[in-house]
Amino acid sequence: MEQDIERYLNNEMTQEEVAAFLNKIDTDPEAKKLLSLYQEMHIVYDQNDWELSDKKTTNQKVQQYEQFLRSDKGKEIASSIKSAEQSYFNEKPFRLTKILKYVAVAAIFIAGLFLVVEYNQGTNTEQLYATYKNWDELPSLTLRDQNSDLTEIEQQFRAENYEESLLLLNTYVLNNDQDVNPQLLIYKGISQLELHKNAAAIDTFTELLESNTLDADKAHWYLALCYLKNQDLAKAKTELALLLEKPTNFKNNEAKELLSTLN
C-alpha cells in the first residue's frame, strides 16, 4: 500500500490506476489514514534535495517526525541516506531511482517511528502519574486538630494552590517545635512534586521513609510517583516492589497494577 501511495503522490499512476487507488482509499479507513500521513510528510519534507520545507502541518505525528528530522540525529540520518543514494546512482542504472526513493522514505519513517516510541514513553509516564495520583484520599490535617494554621494549609492544598500551601506549611513547621509529623511530610512532598520540585520531593519522602513512624512505609508509594514523573522507571519499579514487601497493604492493589504496567 505504501508503494502505491508514493506512486500516487508522485503522479506516476495511469488514470485507471488512480481510479482504482482512490476507490481503495474510500473503502479502507486505514489506507486513508496512511495516505493522509504521507501527504503531510510531503508537505514538510522534500525528497528531491533532502531538506525540510517551511510549510507547516497540524498532524501531531508528522510534527514529531519533523522535530526529529530537524534534530542533529535526524540530520545525520538524512545525510547518510543522501550520500548512499548518490553513491548508488553513480553505479546503477536510472531505472532504480524509484526503488531507492521508496527505500529512503521508508528509512526516514523508521527514524520517525523511533521518535514516536520515545515521545509515547514520555507521554505514558505523565499519563500514569496523573492516573495514580489521588490526593483526594489523603487524610485531613484537621480531622482531630482544629488548628487554624493546619486548616489554612489544607484549604490551599485542596484548592491546588501548592505554592501557598508549601509556604504556609514550612512556616508552620518552623514555628512549631515538634516531632516528625508524617502527614505534614506527605502534604509537603506532594506540594513539591506538583510544583515540579522533584528533587526536593524525593528528599521529603526519603525523610518520611527514614522516620520512626507508622506511615514510614507509605513513602515507597510516593517515591515511586516521584520517579515516575522523572521518567526513571527502574527506580519507580524498585520502590513499588519494596512497598509490596511491606505488611501495611498501603496502595497494594495500585502498586501491583502499576508495576505490571511498567514491566
Side-chain angles (χ1 to χ4, degrees):
M1 189 62 198
E2 289 87 351
Q3 194 167 7
D4 287 339
I5 291 174
E6 279 296 313
R7 292 183 62 227
Y8 171 73
L9 293 176
N10 292 328
N11 297 318
E12 296 170 355
M13 285 184 169
T14 65
Q15 290 184 351
E16 291 78 9
E17 287 175 327
V18 168
F21 173 79
L22 293 178
N23 182 63
K24 170 68 174 175
I25 294 298
D26 288 338
T27 57
D28 188 338
E30 292 302 318
K32 191 171 185 178
K33 288 181 182 178
L34 191 58
L35 172 61
S36 176
L37 183 60
Y38 267 70
Q39 286 173 326
E40 294 281 354
M41 283 295 292
H42 274 251
I43 289 175
V44 301
Y45 199 79
D46 186 344
Q47 293 173 203
N48 295 322
D49 60 9
W50 293 94
E51 295 293 339
L52 288 166
S53 75
D54 293 328
K55 297 177 181 178
K56 301 300 181 182
T57 173
T58 58
N59 187 298
Q60 186 176 7
K61 286 188 177 180
V62 176
Q63 288 174 348
Q64 292 171 357
Y65 298 153
E66 182 180 5
Q67 185 175 344
F68 175 81
L69 293 170
R70 290 188 187 280
S71 69
D72 291 339
K73 187 174 183 180
K75 289 176 181 177
E76 181 181 350
I77 291 174
S79 177
S80 298
I81 294 172
K82 181 179 179 180
S83 297
E85 180 187 28
Q86 291 174 339
S87 174
Y88 199 79
F89 283 160
N90 289 334
E91 301 176 4
K92 299 297 179 181
F94 185 74
R95 62 188 175 84
L96 293 176
T97 300
K98 296 176 183 178
I99 297 175
L100 285 178
K101 182 184 288 186
Y102 175 72
V103 172
V105 171
I108 290 295
F109 267 83
I110 289 171
L113 288 174
F114 280 112
L115 174 73
V116 172
V117 170
E118 293 176 4
Y119 266 73
N120 284 343
Q121 185 181 59
T123 301
N124 286 340
T125 56
E126 292 173 4
Q127 290 175 344
L128 287 172
Y129 171 78
T131 297
Y132 283 94
K133 70 169 189 176
N134 188 352
W135 313 146
D136 292 336
E137 295 180 347
L138 291 178
S140 173
L141 292 177
T142 56
L143 188 61
R144 295 189 179 90
D145 187 346
Q146 298 303 315
N147 184 295
S148 59
D149 291 334
L150 293 178
T151 300
E152 179 64 15
I153 291 170
E154 184 172 351
Q155 286 176 345
Q156 294 296 332
F157 181 91
R158 300 295 181 187
E160 299 184 3
N161 298 326
Y162 298 114
E163 193 79 55
E164 183 66 20
S165 173
L166 186 58
L167 179 62
L168 292 172
L169 195 153
N170 287 334
T171 301
Y172 176 83
V173 172
L174 185 64
N175 294 334
N176 291 269
D177 186 16
Q178 58 180 8
D179 295 333
V180 173
N181 184 322
Q183 290 304 317
L184 288 180
L185 286 177
I186 292 173
Y187 273 76
K188 178 180 178 180
I190 291 172
S191 295
Q192 291 167 329
L193 193 55
E194 290 291 344
L195 291 169
H196 308 292
K197 299 178 179 180
N198 296 357
I202 290 172
D203 288 342
T204 297
F205 290 125
T206 299
E207 182 182 350
L208 173 63
L209 181 65
E210 294 173 350
S211 69
N212 186 24
T213 66
L214 294 176
D215 291 325
D217 291 341
K218 294 180 180 180
H220 290 298
W221 172 254
Y222 296 110
L223 283 169
L225 293 181
C226 289
Y227 292 126
L228 187 64
K229 196 170 184 181
N230 276 351
Q231 297 184 28
D232 191 337
L233 303 187
K235 289 185 177 180
K237 290 191 284 188
T238 297
E239 294 297 334
L240 292 170
L242 289 171
L243 178 62
L244 290 172
E245 293 175 358
K246 303 300 179 181
T248 59
N249 290 324
F250 176 72
K251 293 290 184 180
N252 190 274
N253 292 333
E254 292 92 334
K256 286 180 180 178
E257 186 178 78
L258 181 53
L259 186 59
S260 176
T261 301
L262 296 178
N263 284 330

